[in-house]
């Protein structure tokens, strides 16, 4: 158990540092009135939703850090500026700028060279469409379930003359209790996940029986199973099979969609769930992760059906 706790600390401390910087850093920017001024830059997107301009501020921050953006959303909720539904939709929307960062840092330099332009291009396309579907879902749901909220978080801050020292003190005072709560929940959730992983709880996601059902070559079982554990490893193993004609383009795409469908829930439970629960609390955090992951899985299932239809 002690070894698990050491692994938890090694994994969790860098994340908690990011949360700390995001929470207090954005708090300082809010106290200085900086975020209120920047929210206008992304208002063109938000004019199609019923989300308030405060969410536009956090979305802008999400371009650099999702953790920092969600820390802002927590502050908005704690102040009463946004309700539960608005919090969820803001958080889901904040997850979409990460797709841009991943395309630049992962898809283009790793996936495309490893899988080639056809299969790699398809994988990147699915990735982009997932982001578009998430944004579209938020827009539609906000129109259906929300009334237009014109709340601007602590609107008078922008008109005040606040020094940097005062902003730091106010941010610490406002967010100190919240960070303690986040740290305790995150460490608890991460410990639970590591304990379950150590005891083989995630082995129920084995995809070996499904490989035969979908008519995938036996040799593709290794990259498929590897992808669930590590997408980079799965892609690295699948690439040579494509180049050597050991597997067709369509079969390779099926492997990627199957691998993604089983990897995403594992990744969400192992990584996203502790993070979102610690920031938003158990009820809201679970809903956000389930909604966001559900959209990603549905998009991949849709393409899987298309690929199976073409293959047959």
């Amino acid at each position: 158990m002690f070894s698990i706790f050491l692994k938890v600390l090694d994994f969790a401390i860098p994340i908690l540092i990011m949360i700390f910087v995001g929470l207090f850093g954005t708090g300082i920017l809010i106290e200085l009135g900086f975020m209120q001024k920047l929210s206008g830059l992304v208002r063109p997107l938000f004019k199609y939703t019923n989300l308030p301009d405060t969410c536009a501020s956090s979305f802008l921050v999400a371009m650099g850090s999702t953790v920092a953006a969600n820390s802002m959303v927590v502050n908005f909720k704690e102040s009463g500026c946004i309700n539960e539904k608005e919090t969820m939709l803001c958080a889901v929307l904040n997850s979409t700028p990460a797709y841009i960062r991943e395309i630049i840092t992962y898809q283009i330099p790793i996936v495309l060279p490893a899988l080639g332009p056809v299969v790699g291009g398809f994988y990147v396309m699915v990735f982009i469409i997932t982001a578009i579907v998430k944004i579209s879902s938020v827009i539609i749901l906000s129109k259906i379930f929300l009334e237009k909220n014109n709340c601007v978080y602590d609107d008078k801050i922008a008109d005040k003359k606040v020094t940097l020292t005062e902003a730091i003190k106010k941010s610490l005072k406002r967010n100190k209790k919240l960070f303690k709560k986040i740290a305790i929940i995150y460490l608890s959730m991460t410990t639970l996940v590591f304990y379950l992983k150590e005891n083989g709880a995630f082995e129920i996601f084995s995809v070996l029986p499904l490989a035969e059902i979908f008519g995938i070559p036996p040799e593709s079982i290794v990259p498929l199973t590897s992808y669930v554990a590590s997408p980079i490893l799965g892609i690295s193993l699948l690439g040579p099979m494509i180049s050597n004609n050991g597997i067709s383009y369509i079969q390779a795409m099926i492997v990627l969609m199957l691998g993604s469908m089983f990897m995403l829930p594992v990744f969400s439970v192992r990584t996203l769930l502790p993070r979102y629960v610690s920031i938003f609390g158990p009820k809201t955090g679970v809903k956000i992760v389930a909604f966001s992951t559900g959209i990603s899985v549905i998009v991949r299932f849709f393409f899987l059906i298309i690929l199976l239809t073409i293959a047959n």
Side-chain angles (χ1 to χ4, degrees), residues 58-129:
S58 67
F59 182 79
L60 191 68
V61 173
M63 299 289 184
S65 170
T66 305
V67 171
N70 287 332
S71 300
M72 289 182 66
V73 174
V74 170
N75 276 320
F76 301 154
K77 184 183 179 184
E78 293 283 328
S79 71
C81 190
I82 60 177
N83 59 31
E84 178 80 7
K85 291 178 181 178
E86 290 166 336
T87 298
M88 284 185 59
L89 293 181
C90 283
V92 173
L93 201 59
N94 285 344
S95 69
T96 56
Y99 284 78
I100 299 173
R101 295 197 301 271
E102 189 159 335
I103 286 172
I104 296 172
T105 60
Y106 174 67
Q107 305 288 344
I108 294 176
I110 298 175
V111 173
L112 281 175
L115 298 178
V118 177
V119 178
F122 168 79
Y123 189 87
V124 174
M125 180 196 69
V126 172
F127 197 76
I128 294 171
I129 289 175

Side-chain angles (χ1 to χ4, degrees), residues 45-51 85-86 88-90 92-93 96 129-148 291 295:
L45 170 63
F46 280 80
K47 74 178 181 180
Y48 298 107
T49 76
N50 279 341
L51 292 172
K85 291 178 181 178
E86 290 166 336
M88 284 185 59
L89 293 181
C90 283
V92 173
L93 201 59
T96 56
I129 289 175
T130 302
I132 293 172
V133 171
K134 281 189 179 182
I135 294 172
S136 301
S137 299
V138 169
I139 292 173
I140 294 169
L141 290 174
S142 73
K143 288 292 187 180
I144 295 174
F145 294 107
L146 301 179
E147 297 291 332
K148 186 61 179 178
F291 180 69
I295 290 176

